[in-house]
Every structure is written in C-alpha cells, then in structure tokens.
Amino acid sequence: ATVGKAVESMRAPVLNRQDEEDDTPYFRGPFNFSEPTQMPIPVGKWILAKVLDRTTLVEGREEKVIKLTLGLPPNAFLGFTCGQHIQVGVTLGGKWLLRKYTPTSPMKQLGSFEIVVKVYPEGRVSKWLDQIEIGRSITVRGPQGHYDHPEVDFGKDLIMIAGGVGITTCFQFFQAAQLQEIKPRSLHLFYSSRYEDEIVFKQELDALCVSSPDLFKVHFTITKPSESWTGLTGRINAESWQRLLPAASPSTKAFICGDDDFVIAMKKTALSIGFAIPDLVLL
C-alpha cells in the first residue's frame, strides 16, 4: 500500500496558481475544467488541490493516522481504479519531495477525494500534512500504479492481507464492491495491527460486514493486544490463513498490502500454501 513512500527530485512543476484566498474548493492546473461534462483529472498532470478537511483516524500508542479531504473542480473526479495511488509534491528545505498515497474515497466521487496519511515522527512530508492549514493548496498528480484488474477477477473470491496502514488499498476494494464498481463473488480481509486502537476503518469495515455478510468477511488480529481485546492475536501465518480464508484455486485471488517487510513475509506464507503469480498480487 502507498501511504508516503519517499522520492526526491530537483525541480517542482510550474502551475497556474490562483490566489490563496480564493474561496473555490480547488485550484486549476494547466488545463481547463470549464466543460460541464463530468470528467477524470488528466492522468500524469500536476494539479493544485485545496485542503478541505483533516481528520485524525488513529492516535494510538505508537502511531498517528490522518485523513485529508482535497478539493477538485465540481465536475471532476479522480478517475483511479483499485490498487492505484496518487503523488503529493511538496517543496521543503529547498528540495522537491514526492510521496505516494492511496485514495480512499469512491472512484467517481465528484468535487473532492480523500487520502490517508501515516504521520511518521521523522517524516518531513507527513508531519507537514498533519499541520497544514485548511484552505491551503497542495500539489498532486495521479492516478498512478500499474495494477489492472481484469473483468475475469470479478467472479472470484478475493483475499486481502493487510498490515497496518496497508489497509488503505484494501479499503478501496471494499468501497468499490459496495458500490458494485467491481463484482467479486466474495471479499475477505485479514488485517494485522499492533494495537486495537490503531485499527484504521474498523467501524466502516464492521458496518459493511453487517450490511452484506455474504459478500464481506473481515478478520482482525492484534500482535500487542490489551487485556480487554477478545479477538484474534498474533501475526498472520500459514495456519491462521488456511483456517480463516479460502484456499488457493482458479477462483481465488490474493492481494498483500503493507510495508516491505510485511509484504515479503506474507508472500512467503502465500507461496507455501499454494498461491502463485498471477493470482498473488503485491500492492
């Protein structure tokens, strides 16, 4: 999942900036959104998006996660597909810094979109985003990412293995399935977090399981549980994967989302129980 991987470049893009005091919920890039037709933002083009809202999703013992709502023109939508991300560009200390984040709002939401940001103690961009004033603009580009989910996947049982804020990509799939933008036979999530108060989107995921129990199945496991936690504990392993999730088969596809160490470990687990590329996707 992409929640702020670092890239540095020497030059920031030059955009047609509007006055910072402008009260529209977006800034125009070097293209025209004046047409009334609903349209996605141009792929690969930098735009300036105004920060409309910032919400703290998690403020746990070792982790803080925020959600930013960013403005687009009223008739524009992000136009991404599941598994894709956007780039945020910021000039700090004289350097042009790029970070990748996964959108978590519906694919065709008009006028705005949302990203989830893990705030790292030494993270220059994430700390800046955590403190940015509402109404200021940030530079964004997208959608990006090469995963292309063919229609053949949509009759399958999809398995999502998530670690920490890797849940952002998985949440894309859950929202898309709820809105019938993708049509899997079932969607299973196995989500590992250190502490129960660091689970992102828990209420939303629980609500989806209640509203569509045949479609959505979610399992949470905590590696550093409190005494009050009554759910699953420990790391995801071959035994718990096989016990709780569909087995590898032509009708099953698995996705692994998390930091590099988590993805490497879960890939080894998946291969050991019969999953193989292309029915094993690392995001």
Side-chain angles (χ1 to χ4, degrees):
T2 46
V3 291
K5 294 185 178 179
V7 182
E8 295 190 7
S9 180
M10 294 301 292
R11 267 180 21 183
V14 177
L15 301 181
N16 298 330
R17 296 177 181 270
Q18 293 179 327
D19 188 339
E20 289 284 344
E21 300 302 319
D22 185 87
D23 61 1
T24 57
Y26 62 90
F27 288 90
R28 297 180 189 276
F31 43 81
N32 186 5
F33 275 117
S34 61
E35 293 295 327
T37 305
Q38 295 178 5
M39 60 188 294
I41 65 171
V43 175
K45 300 291 186 180
W46 289 102
I47 65 170
L48 287 162
K50 186 176 288 187
V51 179
L52 304 180
D53 189 35
R54 180 178 58 245
T55 304
T56 298
L57 298 180
V58 166
E59 193 153 16
R61 280 162 277 192
E62 298 180 11
E63 189 168 283
K64 182 177 184 180
V65 179
I66 62 172
K67 179 177 70 176
L68 293 177
T69 302
L70 304 176
L72 293 173
N75 59 316
F77 57 93
L78 198 57
F80 65 93
T81 61
C82 292
Q84 290 190 309
H85 60 267
I86 67 160
Q87 282 187 319
V88 170
V90 179
T91 300
L92 296 174
K95 291 186 176 181
W96 172 240
L97 307 177
L98 301 180
R99 300 294 186 267
K100 299 176 182 179
Y101 296 103
T102 299
T104 56
S105 46
M107 297 180 188
K108 294 186 178 180
Q109 177 173 296
L110 291 175
S112 67
F113 66 97
E114 298 163 359
I115 59 173
V116 169
V117 178
K118 180 178 179 179
V119 181
Y120 294 91
E122 304 301 324
R124 287 176 290 175
V125 175
S126 64
K127 289 172 67 176
W128 183 82
L129 290 172
D130 186 36
Q131 298 168 5
I132 191 172
E133 296 176 0
I134 303 301
R136 285 198 60 184
S137 62
I138 63 175
T139 311
V140 301
R141 178 173 67 178
Q144 297 182 325
H146 301 296
Y147 175 64
D148 182 18
H149 39 76
E151 288 293 331
V152 68
D153 288 356
F154 297 158
K156 292 187 175 183
D157 298 305
L158 302 185
I159 297 170
M160 315 297 297
I161 306 295
V165 287
I167 186 59
T168 54
T169 301
C170 303
F171 193 67
Q172 281 186 340
F173 281 79
F174 271 70
Q175 280 201 125
Q178 180 193 28
L179 298 172
Q180 296 189 330
E181 293 170 338
I182 64 172
K183 297 181 180 180
R185 182 165 59 186
S186 63
L187 190 49
H188 302 252
L189 171 65
F190 203 170
Y191 179 9
S192 176
S193 185
R194 284 175 297 183
Y195 303 103
E196 55 263 39
D197 60 1
E198 293 182 353
I199 298 175
V200 183
F201 296 129
K202 186 176 190 307
Q203 291 184 343
E204 292 87 344
L205 291 166
D206 286 342
L208 287 172
C209 291
V210 171
S211 65
S212 302
D214 293 331
L215 178 59
F216 299 118
K217 312 288 184 182
V218 176
H219 307 281
F220 302 103
T221 186
I222 303 300
T223 58
K224 297 181 180 180
S226 68
E227 293 183 359
S228 62
W229 176 253
T230 58
L232 298 170
T233 60
R235 298 182 184 277
I236 299 171
N237 55 32
E239 185 278 328
S240 57
W241 183 322
Q242 290 180 299
R243 174 165 49 88
L244 297 171
L245 303 172
S249 75
S251 63
T252 304
K253 191 158 194 166
F255 300 80
I256 300 175
C257 313
D259 63 31
D260 291 343
D261 290 341
F262 179 84
V263 169
I264 290 170
M266 291 298 97
K267 178 183 177 182
K268 290 180 180 178
T269 299
L271 294 175
S272 74
I273 58 175
F275 286 88
I277 307 296
D279 289 324
L280 177 61
V281 181
L282 311 181
L283 294 175

